[in-house]
Amino acid sequence: MLRYIGQRLLIMLPIILGISFIVFMILDLTPGDPARIILGDSATDESVRVLREEMGLNDHAIIRYFRYVKNAITGDFGKSYRSGLPVLSELKARMPTSFKLATGSMIMIIIIGIPVGIISAAKQYSLLDTLSLTSALLLTSMPNFWLGLMLMLFFSLKLDLLPATGAYTWQHFILPSITLGAFGLATMIRMTRSSMLEVIRQDYIRTARSKGVGEFKVITRHALKNALLPIITIVGMNFALMLGGGMIIESTFALPGIGSLAIQAIRTKDTPIVIGAIIFIAIAISVMNLIVDIIYTFVDPRLKTIITAENVVK
Amino acid sequence: MAERLLEIKDLNVVYETDESVVHAVNNLNLVINKGETLGLVGETGAGKTTAALSIMKLLPDKTGIIKRGEIGLENINITIATKYDKRLLRGNVISMIFQDPMTSLNPTLTVEYQIAEVLALHKKDMKKAELSKRVDEILEMVGLPPSRKHEYPHQFSGGMKQRVVIAIALACEPKLLLADEPTTALDVTIQAQILKLMKELKEKLDTAMLLITHDLGVVAEICDKVAIMYAGQIIEQGMIEDIFESKYHHPYTEGLFDAIPDLSKKTKRLNPVEGLMPDPTDLPTGCFFHVRCRKCMDICKTKEPEIKWTNADKTHLIKCHLFNDNK
């Protein structure tokens, strides 16, 4: 098992290198001179030229990329053009907020999405099923910034129940978590439902019924575990995406997370921050994928055999 | 006379969908006595499995409906049993073995759990240690090493899986075992082993068995009685000797026997029963078999034949105009 994890971590390296290369090159192609951005419009051409020389901006992009990678390995991802602070410390300062937001959404998706999906499948074509499918459709079709604004309008301004912006207490995370998780919740309901429906039709469910197992236990004990694989995938992918992907939501609710940092950086052409944020998201997704695969082996004994067998062969 | 265990009277089962009504079982009558093995033989689509599922009350929700008839288990009509009652019956008094052992076991639960579950459900007074001990005994009974009980189904071969399925079905020593083509998915050597095992166990536990199959060889090996089913009806029924030795047969049964290739004779071609099972959404008038029957008469096309006993002991019955007096 450890060996498998080690292999997977090693495979992550080229993936992250590739992503950083692509992002680095694309950002390099966009117009705008970093030295000018750092010094401001009022700076003289001479001082801009000196700074360019200092930063090595006159070198070829490939050379600059390798320099970037070399520094990155030692933990130096460059400095923000705007604040002058190291990228890593900027990201670190924003991480807890993003993490709390993503966790909040994830909890909502799991607590609501999985049970609703299960009920929907167990009572296929019933009123409950129609209701949950309709709400899932509704949640998918609502743009999330609009949903965020509506929630703010209703819960903060009208009812004055929850704070609208900022990230001070856990209450501040309720509305953004709901907004961010809305789409994932809809996906979760539908995925749980279809996965459960597929499992319920399997022969071993009929076997369970023929043993006299009650319907509740058939669903929870016999069907759910088999239906769990695609559900875990969705949870993992959503979590990783939400860690860095809450750009619009973080901006809407004025939350200082990775997403809003990235948006701000893109707007101001703060290249080191943009690359740093994207690498962070890439790492988050890769790590989540690995965690998901490890969880798989606990859910499905067949996969565990495959992974252990693989290690025996190698 | 032996004690009656299961008595099915005039059972009619349909599958209703928006487009059509499938008449899967039509006026089925069957009796199984205690400890007896009845072979239910017929082509694919004859309604054999549907009949078994009706006994288990496992017909698909909403679409599968028992229209008419009674299923009596020890003289209690179980067609009207409540949800809770039927759960008490399943696995305890009646249990079922399904066709494909590869898919009948839950891949995410250990073999021990799957066997212990049925015991825990029906033998409520058993403690954990007793359950575990009983699982060992049952595994040994079906010829599997108890040391492998913590393993998952995918770690077993097909024949071993079917042994596990049998272990689950017989764990509570049911009075009636419904075996739906238990050996069809297995290769011939394993088939023989499994059949032998089933025969031994049913004798040991004194369980009656309804064996669904389309293999007359299997029937000859382990059945006491045989019922031949066609388009949801029993068209011939008798003791094993009646079916295999009597000279009176329904033309369909004759067709089935003719279809078995004989090693001692030189045959160029196989000799099937020509044609297909009638469309169950639109059954023919008269005798359901008349379209394919080689001995079809005019009366067969319009009038449904009556059931006639061919012998004085009333063990062998045939549903065919050839044996009706009014032909």
Side-chain angles (χ1 to χ4, degrees):
Chain A
M1 193 64 157
L2 273 176
R3 195 179 171 137
Y4 173 77
I5 295 171
Q7 283 170 359
R8 288 287 304 267
L9 287 173
L10 272 178
I11 297 170
M12 269 169 62
L13 279 178
I15 295 173
I16 288 160
L17 270 177
I19 290 170
S20 66
F21 180 76
I22 294 169
V23 176
F24 191 94
M25 290 305 158
I26 290 175
L27 286 173
D28 197 66
L29 290 172
T30 55
D33 182 356
R36 175 62 74 188
I37 293 167
I38 293 169
L39 293 172
D41 290 338
S42 54
T44 59
D45 288 351
E46 176 58 20
S47 54
V48 169
R49 201 186 54 76
V50 171
L51 188 62
R52 279 185 68 86
E53 196 65 42
E54 228 173 81
M55 290 171 68
L57 287 172
N58 293 326
D59 295 332
H60 191 268
I62 301 280
I63 294 169
R64 276 183 286 125
Y65 173 72
F66 279 111
R67 200 185 296 143
Y68 177 81
V69 172
K70 203 184 93 195
N71 290 334
I73 290 168
T74 63
D76 175 13
F77 287 87
K79 287 192 175 82
S80 162
Y81 292 163
R82 293 287 163 185
S83 64
L85 292 168
V87 171
L88 205 60
S89 62
E90 286 260 16
L91 285 175
K92 265 188 194 157
R94 303 282 189 131
M95 255 181 241
T97 309
S98 282
F99 192 76
K100 281 181 210 162
L101 178 61
T103 311
S105 301
M106 212 60 260
I107 291 172
M108 178 192 76
I109 289 175
I110 292 171
I111 290 183
I112 301 175
I114 296 180
V116 170
I118 292 172
I119 293 168
S120 209
K123 308 262 174 227
Q124 200 190 2
Y125 303 133
S126 68
L127 190 67
L128 276 174
D129 184 25
T130 319
L131 210 68
S132 73
L133 282 183
T134 317
S135 25
L137 183 68
L138 219 74
L139 286 174
T140 344
S141 18
M142 265 188 287
N144 55 11
F145 68 88
W146 180 83
L147 177 65
L149 291 174
M150 288 303 121
L151 288 175
M152 252 193 246
L153 192 70
F154 193 69
F155 289 100
S156 307
L157 294 179
K158 282 259 160 69
L159 298 178
D160 201 20
L161 279 176
L162 293 164
T165 56
Y168 306 104
T169 60
W170 62 269
Q171 284 101 329
H172 283 89
F173 284 93
I174 295 179
L175 292 183
S177 294
I178 294 174
T179 316
L180 181 60
F183 189 82
L185 177 62
T187 331
M188 179 59 90
I189 291 174
R190 276 181 305 174
M191 183 53 93
T192 309
R193 179 179 181 270
S194 65
S195 180
M196 281 297 282
L197 280 178
E198 202 184 304
V199 171
I200 287 173
R201 291 194 192 106
Q202 298 292 321
D203 284 354
Y204 51 80
I205 297 301
R206 194 176 54 179
T207 308
R209 289 198 178 119
S210 80
K211 282 154 83 174
V213 180
E215 201 55 22
F216 181 76
K217 230 179 151 198
V218 166
I219 298 288
T220 52
R221 196 81 188 80
H222 287 263
L224 186 58
K225 214 176 166 194
N226 286 287
L228 225 44
L229 289 191
I231 297 173
I232 293 168
T233 317
I234 297 247
V235 172
M237 286 317 292
N238 266 318
F239 189 75
L241 284 173
M242 288 191 305
L243 260 186
M247 300 189 180
I248 297 165
I249 307 303
E250 284 178 11
S251 309
T252 314
F253 288 93
L255 290 175
I258 305 272
S260 58
L261 177 71
I263 281 275
Q264 198 185 325
I266 291 168
R267 227 180 259 148
T268 55
K269 209 174 178 319
D270 196 345
T271 321
I273 296 275
V274 178
I275 300 178
I278 289 172
I279 289 178
F280 169 77
I281 295 168
I283 293 176
I285 291 176
S286 313
V287 171
M288 268 329 283
N289 273 340
L290 177 60
I291 293 175
V292 164
D293 284 353
I294 293 168
I295 296 175
Y296 274 180
T297 63
F298 289 102
V299 176
D300 194 332
R302 283 168 296 186
L303 291 170
K304 193 167 196 167
T305 319
I306 292 169
I307 286 178
T308 0
E310 208 171 51
N311 287 346
V312 173
V313 176
K314 273 171 191 170
Chain B
M1 212 174 136
E3 236 180 305
R4 273 185 187 182
L5 177 67
L6 180 87
E7 186 168 11
I8 301 179
K9 273 189 205 154
D10 286 328
L11 185 71
N12 279 271
V13 183
V14 295
Y15 292 108
E16 280 185 358
T17 59
D18 290 342
E19 294 90 40
S20 59
V21 179
V22 175
H23 298 271
V25 173
N26 307 298
N27 298 324
L28 180 82
N29 289 288
L30 261 187
V31 174
I32 300 178
N33 296 325
K34 284 198 174 144
E36 193 175 62
T37 303
L38 175 84
L40 192 58
V41 184
E43 283 174 80
T44 306
K48 309 179 299 266
T49 303
T50 305
L53 290 178
S54 333
I55 300 170
M56 286 300 271
K57 302 212 76 181
L58 276 174
L59 288 169
D61 259 359
K62 285 174 194 149
T63 48
I65 301 161
I66 296 181
K67 272 276 163 190
R68 203 150 52 81
E70 274 181 27
I71 299 170
L73 189 75
E74 294 186 312
N75 294 321
I76 298 164
N77 182 5
I78 57 167
T79 41
I80 49 171
T82 63
K83 241 183 183 174
Y84 183 71
D85 290 337
K86 69 186 185 195
R87 265 171 50 198
L88 289 181
L89 286 177
R90 284 181 196 162
N92 191 22
V93 186
I94 321 172
S95 48
M96 188 156 178
I97 299 174
F98 296 99
Q99 187 169 355
D100 190 354
M102 302 298 171
T103 56
S104 299
L105 294 170
N106 192 324
T108 58
L109 299 172
T110 60
V111 163
E112 180 182 29
Y113 180 89
Q114 299 192 50
I115 299 174
E117 184 181 40
V118 67
L119 287 167
L121 275 168
H122 300 295
K123 309 258 185 270
K124 296 235 154 61
D125 50 336
M126 268 184 143
K127 296 199 178 58
K128 260 217 161 123
E130 283 178 78
L131 276 179
S132 168
K133 216 180 123 229
R134 182 83 185 111
V135 170
D136 289 358
E137 286 170 17
I138 294 167
L139 280 173
E140 228 157 80
M141 196 171 77
V142 298
L144 290 173
S147 57
R148 293 192 62 184
K149 66 180 179 182
H150 300 296
E151 292 181 20
Y152 291 92
H154 72 273
Q155 287 159 300
F156 292 85
S157 71
M160 289 166 106
K161 275 185 208 163
Q162 195 63 306
R163 284 169 193 265
V164 175
V165 172
I166 292 171
I168 294 171
L170 294 179
C172 292
E173 306 188 359
K175 292 182 177 158
L176 177 64
L177 177 66
L178 309 175
D180 186 1
E181 306 198 17
T183 55
T184 307
L186 305 171
D187 67 63
V188 184
T189 42
I190 307 294
Q191 258 186 33
Q193 285 177 19
I194 296 288
L195 284 175
K196 190 166 159 254
L197 175 75
M198 284 173 66
K199 199 174 175 181
E200 279 169 17
L201 289 179
K202 80 164 273 291
E203 268 154 31
K204 193 170 154 197
L205 306 174
D206 197 29
T207 301
M209 179 156 79
L210 176 71
L211 179 76
I212 295 173
T213 180
H214 45 240
D215 189 339
L216 286 165
V218 170
V219 170
E221 221 162 305
I222 63 172
C223 293
D224 305 315
K225 280 203 300 197
V226 189
I228 315 268
M229 205 167 170
Y230 186 82
Q233 290 184 331
I234 304 278
I235 48 121
E236 180 166 355
Q237 187 181 329
M239 303 306 287
I240 190 98
E241 309 83 43
D242 296 330
I243 302 297
F244 283 85
E245 281 158 23
S246 163
K247 55 183 187 289
Y248 304 114
H249 282 304
H250 191 283
Y252 179 59
T253 316
E254 279 174 12
L256 286 183
F257 276 102
D258 286 347
I260 306 171
D262 192 339
L263 273 181
S264 60
K265 283 183 204 145
K266 234 185 167 178
T267 19
K268 282 216 171 110
R269 283 181 168 275
L270 293 175
N271 189 15
V273 183
E274 295 291 341
L276 290 171
M277 191 71 84
D279 180 1
T281 61
D282 182 23
L283 288 167
T285 53
C287 171
F288 290 162
F289 187 61
H290 82 255
V291 193
R292 298 168 73 183
C293 186
R294 278 181 277 190
K295 295 175 182 167
C296 180
M297 302 173 290
D298 284 341
I299 188 171
C300 303
K301 292 176 186 161
T302 50
K303 192 165 180 281
E304 198 182 324
E306 282 162 36
I307 289 166
K308 282 285 169 218
W309 301 103
T310 67
N311 55 359
D313 298 345
K314 291 206 167 181
T315 54
H316 187 201
L317 65 84
I318 297 178
K319 188 178 182 179
C320 178
H321 284 298
L322 287 173
F323 301 90
N324 284 9
D325 306 324
N326 54 352
K327 62 180 167 183

